[in-house]
Amino acid sequence: MNNCDFCTENLPVSFGDRIHAIINDFAVAQTRHPLHEFHLLIFDTVNHTKRLHDYSDNRIVDLKNLISTLDKGFRQELSNYLGYNLTSNNGESEIGQHIEHSHVHMFMRFKGEKKSPFDEYSPDEISEYLNTDGSVLVTKRVLKNIQGTQLRII
């Protein structure tokens, strides 16, 4: 067993109820420190890679398809949905990669947002601004509508 929080054998301990679903062995999770109301974390639970470019071509396609599916699901679920931002830090901790397991941060964006995930604000402002309970419920509804044999809702 390795010590990576993002690898399958450690998920129940490291993420608990913050994992929304596992789709084709990619976890869709609520991040520990959200920067935006709809801030999702997406990562491969089976293949331990440190950087995105270490994924096989097939895994990159799987990730792209998952992102596309989430985008379509949010577009169908919420009329004020505009799209998304993706970010991934690939390198040393000095550039922001603090977990040595490749992952993508996906920020769903909406008309009338009060804050961008790229604005700077204090932890107090974050907790006041975020409605993570509401975003979790919407995310779970979106995920329940996804069809596929490799989908497991948590």
Side-chain angles (χ1 to χ4, degrees):
M1 182 165 145
N2 70 42
N3 292 325
C4 177
D5 287 347
F6 287 23
C7 287
T8 303
E9 65 267 14
N10 299 323
L11 285 178
V13 173
S14 56
F15 276 88
D17 64 354
R18 290 183 298 117
I19 299 280
H20 299 312
I22 297 178
I23 303 167
N24 294 329
D25 294 322
F26 277 101
V28 177
Q30 182 76 28
T31 181
R32 195 174 284 139
H33 303 288
L35 299 177
H36 191 263
E37 189 171 357
F38 284 87
H39 179 176
L40 299 177
L41 196 61
I42 301 171
F43 56 92
D44 191 325
T45 62
V46 175
N47 302 294
H48 181 85
T49 58
K50 291 186 178 183
R51 293 175 172 84
L52 283 179
H53 61 264
D54 294 334
Y55 281 159
S56 70
D57 291 346
N58 289 340
R59 290 309 279 160
I60 290 290
V61 170
D62 291 342
L63 177 61
K64 176 239 174 244
N65 289 340
L66 172 56
I67 291 166
S68 177
T69 299
L70 288 168
D71 176 57
K72 287 176 190 168
F74 275 92
R75 193 167 305 286
Q76 290 171 352
E77 184 71 27
L78 299 167
S79 63
N80 64 336
Y81 175 72
L82 295 171
Y84 61 89
N85 296 115
L86 290 178
T87 186
S88 178
N89 299 317
N90 291 272
E92 304 305 320
S93 62
E94 291 84 2
I95 66 138
Q97 184 168 0
H98 303 290
I99 304 291
E100 290 190 356
H101 187 116
S102 61
H103 57 283
V104 174
H105 295 266
M106 187 170 186
F107 302 97
M108 304 319 199
R109 305 298 301 274
F110 301 91
K111 292 178 192 167
E113 288 179 350
K114 295 179 181 136
K115 292 249 184 207
S116 160
F118 304 104
D119 289 343
E120 288 189 38
Y121 40 100
S122 71
D124 289 339
E125 288 177 298
I126 291 172
S127 62
E128 183 179 309
Y129 161 68
L130 295 179
N131 173 10
T132 54
D133 290 341
S135 66
V136 166
L137 292 174
V138 170
T139 301
K140 287 189 182 257
R141 276 199 317 264
V142 167
L143 290 165
K144 283 181 183 176
N145 289 327
I146 294 173
Q147 302 298 314
T149 56
Q150 293 290 329
L151 170 65
R152 193 169 39 134
I153 301 291
I154 309 296

